[in-house]
Amino acid sequence: MSHENEKVIIVEGLTDKRQVKKVITDEVTIVCTNGTLGVERLDELLETYELDYKDVYILVDEDYSGNKLRKQLARELPHAEHIYVSSEYREVATTPEQALATALLSKRIAVNPLFLL
């Protein structure tokens, strides 16, 4: 089975996941960490979603816990690409759809063009 075109976006919570799902049209797996990860939970995610073999994107809140999680994930997944929301919005869940769509599109993730107007 080929893992080449499979994309995974890692977010913190369910509201983040819902917000991302709203704007993308790409076939993407969205994984919620529900905050910072313990070693066991991280290993479980790596294995379950085969993260070492996929295009991984890290999209977390621009706050203390989001930055802490981003650093942790960057260590474990050095090949992952980072998607940032403006610190003006702080949270993925409260980022306007248009801003989120633009950020996702910049990483070659297909979005609904309605959100780019």
Side-chain angles (χ1 to χ4, degrees):
M1 184 167 135
S2 168
H3 302 287
E4 305 221 338
N5 296 324
E6 295 184 44
K7 297 176 183 174
V8 176
I9 299 175
I10 300 176
V11 298
E12 286 178 84
L14 277 175
T15 52
D16 301 336
K17 183 175 182 171
R18 278 191 214 108
Q19 187 74 343
V20 171
K21 266 194 154 144
K22 230 190 280 181
V23 300
I24 62 173
T25 56
D26 228 335
E27 280 298 313
V28 177
T29 302
I30 304 171
V31 177
C32 292
T33 64
N34 301 311
T36 50
L37 295 170
V39 174
E40 282 177 24
R41 174 82 173 114
L42 189 56
D43 285 345
E44 187 184 307
L45 287 178
L46 288 169
E47 218 169 282
T48 304
Y49 296 100
E50 299 179 312
L51 297 179
D52 289 328
Y53 310 102
K54 296 185 181 170
D55 294 334
V56 179
Y57 301 89
I58 299 170
L59 175 59
V60 294
D61 296 344
E62 283 300 313
D63 59 13
Y64 175 77
S65 60
N67 288 325
K68 187 177 169 190
L69 180 60
R70 184 183 295 280
K71 282 187 184 119
Q72 182 184 15
L73 290 168
R75 270 195 311 273
E76 297 297 326
L77 298 162
H79 70 287
E81 289 193 55
H82 296 265
I83 303 172
Y84 295 91
V85 295
S86 168
S87 54
E88 174 188 344
Y89 311 123
R90 288 179 50 87
E91 297 176 10
V92 173
T94 57
T95 299
E97 283 96 349
Q98 185 179 0
L100 192 56
T102 303
L104 290 162
L105 192 62
S106 75
K107 297 296 181 180
R108 302 164 310 285
I109 295 171
V111 297
N112 184 328
L114 290 175
F115 294 115
L116 298 172
L117 300 173

